[in-house]
Every structure is written in structure tokens, then in C-alpha cells.
Amino acid sequence: MSATTQPPTTPQKPEGRTPSGGARLLGDRRLPVLVTAGLFLAMYIGGLSRYQNYGFGEPQVFLNLFIDNGYLLVAAVGATVVILSGGIDLSVGSVIGFTTMLTAWLVQDVGLPLVLVVPISLGVGAFGGFLMGYVIHNFEIQPFIVTLAGLFLFRGLCLVISKESIAIDDSAVSSLALTRVPVGVGELSIGALVSLVVLAAAFYVLHYTRFGRRIYAVGGNEQSALLMGLPLGGTKIAVYTMSGFCSALAGLLFMLYIQSGDPLHAVGMELDAIAAVVIGGTLLTGGSGYVLGTLFGVLVLGLIKSIIQFEGTLSSWWTKIATGVLLCAFILIQRFMTTRKQT
């Protein structure tokens, strides 16, 4: 009796399921940015319909969003770079406050010209960021702890310089603060223009340079980036150095905006910067986000303030309430997106 052999059967592959349009949309990394942009547009249209008789539709009102929030945009750009790398920087507000105090003291009390004070302030901020990045990487301490120490350090240094506010009456500072540059439909301040230049530079670095790709890789998966041979330590230190530089530059712009230094300036502004980054669609876990989303996040926060001012009957605390609601909403969106990707 001969045994009959049957040819081996090849396992059939399950038919590939084409993801639906909704699934593709939820998997798109640009979704949070689009949601933020849509939210800003809806809020702006709502403001136009409600306050059209009060000048809300004037082009200068829109440009004032950049004038009044230029320093926050610069600080948020630095925070975006850090969060994209998987870190966090809680020292942003303190560095901004310290920069205003250091600049006011050097210009008003020491008598140094502004052209020398600016690089000194930027160098101090960048060096502070470098030290925090160095400690985070070489001593393997959580960024939350290190930057929290930086928060207390720089806030304490503000009080070392002076416990009182220092008003600046330097002619160069006043001239820069009052300068307005025509942009066709209105005017922008020097601070607003500088913030847009910083935004453009960050966009180029993050999306068109090797260093930007390293930031995304480190934030996406630190161990994979290390196995690929990427310079993990150098990237982390550079990221915090950039954040310190942006915070110091934001402090200079804030000093121009209010023309004074005060040890209580920018208290809690690091939270505003982080809120703008999250509302702009950048994942707090790192590795995903766009700096243009941060721009829309800053504009949304600025528009909330403008609407409250036009309303006239609401307290400024409603800004914090609205920011908290938006933060919760966008964190839930991020959580839902990451859960969908895992499944």
C-alpha cells in the first residue's frame, strides 16, 4: 500500500483591509495642527460676527496678536524644540524674568549700551540652557527636576539683582519699543518681526536639516536613536541650549514690550508656552508635532485675550479657564490618536 502525498498547502494571507477615510484622518500627524487652525479660524469668525461694530475686523487688530504675543511665540518655539526631543523645560518663565532684570540693570544702573547688553543676555540664557542639558544627559536626571531647579535658580538671581522693579528710560530701548514697520495692511513691532524670523528659522531647522531629524528621532524613540548611532548627548544639550537662548530672546522682547525689569515678570509664563505647544498639536511624549502648530497655539491664546477685552464684562481669569479647557481637549485628542495607532 503506497502512501499518497499531498502537496503542501500554502497558508492564505488574510485580505488586506483598506483603512477608512476616518481612520486615515485620525492617523495623520497633521490632524492636531489642522484642528488648532480650524479652532482659530472659528474663533476669529465668531469675533467678527459679534464685535464687527467695535473694529474687530480691522487688519491691525489681527496684527496686534503678533505684537502682543511676540515674546510668547519665541518662548514657545524654544519649548517646542525641547518637547519634540522628549523633554520639558520649566525654567522658561524664570529665564525671561531674569533677562528683563539683567538687561534693565546693565542698561539703567551700570550704563552699558544696549548693543553690548543684548549679546550678554542671550549668552547667559544660552549658557543656562547648556548647563541644564549637560546635567540632564551626563547625570541622567529627569528634565523635570533639573529645569525645576533652573526655575528657582533664575528666579532667585532676579532678586539678587534687585527686589524692586527697574524702569528703563534709555533712548535706544524707547526707540526700538516704539518703532513700527509697515506691512501693507498695518504695522508690526520689532518684537513681532523678530518672533516671525525665529519661527521661520525653527521651521527650517526642524524640517530641512539633519539636526532637526535627530530631534524627531530622539523624541520618537531614544533607544532606537541610540542604536542608529545618533549623538544623543549632543542633541539633548543643543536642544536645551536653544531653549535657553529662545527664553533669553523672549525676555529681551518682553523688556521692549514693557520697558522695565521686575523680579516677578513672566511668573508662570513657562506654562503658557507649554500650553501653546500642546494646543498647537505637539505630543508631550515627543517625536511628533510642528512648529507652525505652535504659532496657531499662541494665536489662539492671544485671540482669547482679545475677545475678553472686546467683551468688556469678563474677568481676565477667563483666559486661564479657556486655556485649561483647551488643554484638556487637545490632550484627549492626542491620547485618542496614540491609542488608535497602537491598535
Side-chain angles (χ1 to χ4, degrees), residues 73-83 92 239 242-243 246-247:
L73 177 57
V74 173
V77 166
T80 302
V81 176
V82 171
I83 293 175
V92 170
V239 159
M242 290 175 62
S243 179
C246 287
S247 298

Side-chain angles (χ1 to χ4, degrees), residues 262-276:
D262 192 285
L264 296 179
H265 277 336
V267 171
M269 193 174 290
E270 63 277 353
L271 302 181
D272 293 333
I274 295 172

Side-chain angles (χ1 to χ4, degrees), residues 195-216:
S195 67
L196 292 176
V197 171
V198 171
L199 177 72
F203 179 83
Y204 176 80
V205 169
L206 287 173
H207 298 290
Y208 294 100
T209 66
R210 186 176 300 175
F211 175 67
R213 290 190 289 272
R214 289 207 304 262
I215 292 176
Y216 278 96

